Amino acid sequence: MLKTFFESGLAVLYSVSFCLLLAACNDSSHQTIADNAEGFPELSQLVAFSSNANSSHLACAQHYRESCLLEQFSPLGVEKNTPLTISDIEQRLFVSHPWMAESFLSVLSTLPSSLLPLFRSVSAIVIADDIRPSFYSANTATIYIDPRYLWRDEEEWLTIVPKDDFRDQFKANVSFLAVRQNVDSAGIPVQWISDTFSARNTTRTIEQLQPALFRLLVHELSSCE
């Protein structure tokens, strides 16, 4: 059982995930993972969101398979010896489309301020149309975020490159049912909104984006510590 604690103002969100194993696999059920299953993003459309961003930081964040020198691309906590602000994080934010940064910063501003110190260990945050799934690169000390966590309407959804999550292929080896329940501080269930656009899911509010993005950030940022 995984329990994620989320606190924002008076609201407290608990995310509890259960994985119920329904059937084990045997050798005959194994399937070969495609050679290009990793689906490495190209990040060819990446730009700095802030006009104050360092251009050399963009080059380092874009080439996540190569290491950057610490003095060339230092983590936020190395440059700042004062508490981090959202403005500091914005200067290290690189995106393929402006709406991604706007949505990310809007959600971040509603999350607990206690989350901000976790960004001290990262050099940048990258959000691009061809990232799937999200990941952290030790080469660049950067987190790369799948924009499916952030789209708010159909126009934004259509800018995201259609791409399967390579991890879905592992489900062929083990059949299971994932069950998740989120409740607020009063114990009232909170709906977990799908990250896929559909006829029943055409728009999403900042409040609806909070739980999944918070869970992702805690996961990825804790990998950097």
Side-chain angles (χ1 to χ4, degrees), residues 46-179:
L46 207 62
V47 296
F49 179 68
S50 172
S51 59
N52 297 322
N54 187 321
S55 58
S56 66
H57 291 169
L58 171 60
C60 285
Q62 199 166 22
H63 299 92
Y64 54 88
R65 297 195 213 180
E66 303 172 10
S67 297
C68 284
L69 297 176
L70 183 62
E71 57 267 27
Q72 181 183 10
F73 195 40
S74 60
L76 280 162
V78 173
E79 281 193 358
K80 297 277 296 185
N81 54 14
T82 56
L84 286 184
T85 65
I86 291 180
S87 179
D88 296 326
I89 295 170
E90 180 180 339
Q91 293 180 34
R92 296 293 189 93
L93 185 56
F94 303 96
V95 296
S96 62
H97 297 74
W99 70 260
M100 297 174 183
E102 294 164 1
S103 181
F104 175 79
L105 294 171
S106 293
V107 178
L108 187 60
S109 68
T110 69
L111 297 179
S113 58
S114 56
L115 179 68
L116 298 183
L118 293 180
F119 284 91
R120 295 180 64 85
S121 59
V122 300
S123 296
I125 302 91
V126 172
I127 312 169
D129 54 6
D130 60 346
I131 295 176
R132 183 163 178 83
S134 303
F135 65 96
Y136 166 75
S137 170
N139 289 330
T140 59
T142 295
I143 55 176
Y144 298 80
I145 298 178
D146 183 343
R148 288 162 184 77
Y149 283 91
L150 297 165
W151 66 268
R152 295 162 294 185
D153 55 40
E154 184 177 12
E155 182 179 359
E156 293 176 352
W157 167 259
L158 291 175
T159 66
I160 301 174
V161 175
K163 193 174 185 180
D164 292 331
D165 186 332
F166 77 89
R167 297 171 302 179
D168 289 342
Q169 298 185 55
F170 301 124
K171 295 179 182 179
N173 296 335
V174 180
S175 298
F176 68 95
L177 174 65
V179 179

